[in-house]
Amino acid sequence: MSTHTFLSVTIHHNMSFFSFGQSAEIDVVLTDAETRKKAEHKTEDGKKDKYFLFYDGETVSGKINITLKNPGKRLEHQGIKIEFVGQIELYYDRGNHHEFVSLVKDLARPGELTQSQTFDFEFTHVEKPYETYTGQNVKLRYFLRATVSRRLNDISKEMDIVVHTLSTYPELNSSIKMEVGIEDCLHIEFEYNKSKYHLKDVIVGKIYFLLVRIKIKHMEIDIIKRETTGTGPSVYHENDTIAKYEIMDGAPVRGESIPIRLFLAGYEMTPTMRDINKKFSVRYYLNLVLIDEEERRYFKQQEITLWRKGDVVRKSMSSQATIGAQRFEGSASSESALEKAAREDSG
């Protein structure tokens, strides 16, 4: 019996030893938290949450509030710092974070806190070159991390933000014309008005039936998202059908043409991402699918480019981000990207 009593006392002392002493809570508060727009973003577990929205070139500033849990007791520390981090994590290589942005500000030298304290921070005109992304095999995130360094266990707090990359109207935006055919059985031409679409755009197209000698019972256009991660022998492709749009149900006849209007705003899509930090790509394809009466499938695929239109800028962006968007345009035209977006919106 005495042995059992001894054991329980020993365990109790060990537990109380680690929880003994001063602790603190950290809170990160952005300067413009009241006015800054938020964006919905899906996390890894599929849940949607709202985060503060930033653009490339915008300053990230605010306060760190450190609240002591046991007032009157000192908190010894080895320094207090805040970091702004942009990182990519590949799910097959967990724990190995690739940081493409890493900024650090020291807020306090080693010492002690005798009372709750607030520290100001500012990361000026921060480069945020890529869009926030959570995919099937990869995650790109930006976050602030405040840390009170201690000998045994650091106290830290992370706060995620969402970054959107803005583009302006592509100068070259040719239409897509394609043919699909099976010799002496089927000949179809289809045409889409553009090859580059913004995320709230409409795909307008037409399908012409020049020769129909097989019985088609169903026809649809799919938007497929292809996420590519890794390089060399360890490349992973994930195809995800984002949208299915039924063009027709029933057999077409020769000489018939079918109009297409596919509204993109209702679907969850990101801009096209090509070779982001040499880690991953996200591309989109229009896939025309025909199914005949014997359940045979015929399809033709065409890549399209998606981009995020800069018109949201006028309503909520700061002047520094506006300059960033115009810089992104890279043209010396007298009409700015934002004026152009405004004119096309009202037109």
Side-chain angles (χ1 to χ4, degrees):
M1 283 294 289
S2 58
T3 315
H4 287 286
T5 314
F6 174 72
L7 277 174
S8 64
V9 171
T10 310
I11 290 166
H12 174 72
H13 275 299
N14 279 340
M15 286 170 71
S16 64
F17 170 75
F18 283 113
S19 61
F20 189 73
Q22 177 63 287
S23 190
E25 270 182 15
I26 304 177
D27 207 17
V28 182
V29 183
L30 294 177
T31 305
D32 51 4
E34 296 295 312
T35 54
R36 181 164 289 280
K37 191 178 170 185
K38 286 189 170 185
E40 219 172 48
H41 188 71
K42 201 181 265 185
T43 51
E44 211 180 310
D45 55 9
K47 285 182 190 158
K48 278 187 187 169
D49 228 328
K50 288 200 163 182
Y51 300 90
F52 288 109
L53 175 61
F54 282 84
Y55 300 96
D56 183 29
E58 279 194 293
T59 292
V60 182
S61 65
K63 285 179 168 50
I64 304 299
N65 296 326
I66 299 174
T67 310
L68 299 186
K69 285 186 179 174
N70 305 317
K73 218 171 217 173
R74 296 172 319 179
L75 174 68
E76 286 188 36
H77 63 84
Q78 263 69 54
I80 299 169
K81 65 179 178 180
I82 176 100
E83 297 164 89
F84 181 83
V85 181
Q87 71 179 23
I88 296 169
E89 183 183 4
L90 299 161
Y91 296 164
Y92 59 82
D93 187 18
R94 288 252 186 216
N96 193 4
H97 300 130
H98 306 273
E99 294 187 356
F100 56 87
V101 176
S102 182
L103 305 171
V104 186
K105 300 263 183 199
D106 287 316
L107 303 175
R109 290 178 178 171
E112 55 183 42
L113 293 178
T114 52
Q115 60 188 38
S116 298
Q117 210 167 329
T118 296
F119 298 91
D120 292 328
F121 71 87
E122 180 170 290
F123 295 101
T124 314
H125 304 311
V126 190
E127 268 193 69
K128 308 173 204 71
Y130 312 122
E131 175 135 348
T132 303
Y133 177 72
T134 303
Q136 286 168 289
N137 283 327
V138 62
K139 177 169 67 182
L140 188 152
R141 64 185 278 244
Y142 294 87
F143 60 93
L144 288 160
R145 179 169 54 214
T147 307
V148 177
S149 300
R150 300 178 76 196
R151 273 205 185 88
L152 277 176
N153 51 340
D154 290 351
I155 306 168
S156 71
K157 175 77 177 278
E158 289 184 1
M159 175 187 181
D160 278 74
I161 63 163
V162 161
V163 169
H164 281 175
T165 53
L166 298 175
S167 306
T168 51
Y169 286 78
E171 285 176 26
L172 288 170
N173 200 351
S174 52
S175 60
I176 299 171
K177 286 185 182 177
M178 289 198 304
E179 292 186 18
V180 58
I182 303 158
E183 206 173 337
D184 298 331
C185 293
L186 180 71
H187 191 177
I188 298 172
E189 275 183 5
F190 54 103
E191 194 174 338
Y192 303 115
N193 59 332
K194 295 184 281 194
S195 54
K196 297 169 185 174
Y197 298 89
H198 64 77
L199 297 180
K200 304 241 181 319
D201 220 333
V202 186
I203 295 175
V204 177
K206 245 186 184 167
I207 295 187
Y208 305 95
F209 294 89
L210 304 175
L211 176 66
V212 186
R213 285 197 183 139
I214 54 174
K215 291 193 172 171
I216 296 166
K217 69 166 188 178
H218 181 76
M219 195 166 173
E220 68 183 35
I221 282 184
D222 300 339
I223 298 176
I224 293 169
K225 177 176 110 173
R226 179 174 298 155
E227 178 188 292
T228 306
T229 49
T231 51
S234 56
V235 171
Y236 298 85
H237 296 291
E238 288 285 353
N239 285 351
D240 193 11
T241 302
I242 301 289
K244 278 181 182 287
Y245 175 84
E246 187 177 78
I247 297 168
M248 54 158 291
D249 199 5
V253 294
R254 185 182 170 180
E256 195 173 353
S257 75
I258 296 174
I260 294 162
R261 281 180 80 79
L262 177 52
F263 292 84
L264 299 180
Y267 302 107
E268 280 185 25
M269 293 190 285
T270 67
T272 295
M273 303 181 188
R274 291 193 174 89
D275 202 21
I276 299 298
N277 204 234
K278 299 193 164 51
K279 297 286 182 293
F280 72 96
S281 297
V282 179
R283 295 168 185 260
Y284 291 88
Y285 298 85
L286 284 178
N287 195 25
L288 179 70
V289 183
L290 286 72
I291 301 170
D292 70 13
E293 288 192 335
E294 293 172 32
E295 296 297 328
R296 286 180 298 207
R297 292 169 69 86
Y298 310 91
F299 59 89
K300 184 89 173 187
Q301 214 170 73
Q302 172 68 37
E303 185 174 359
I304 55 170
T305 301
L306 296 182
W307 51 282
R308 190 180 292 282
K309 190 175 170 183
D311 61 352
V312 293
V313 172
R314 294 171 293 132
K315 296 157 195 157
S316 68
M317 256 171 98
S318 62
S319 57
Q320 52 180 298
T322 307
I323 293 159
Q326 289 167 335
R327 184 189 66 206
F328 189 90
E329 186 184 29
S331 72
S333 65
S334 57
E335 181 182 48
S336 77
L338 309 181
E339 289 165 341
K340 194 171 183 181
R343 180 172 54 76
E344 301 229 2
D345 257 10
S346 58

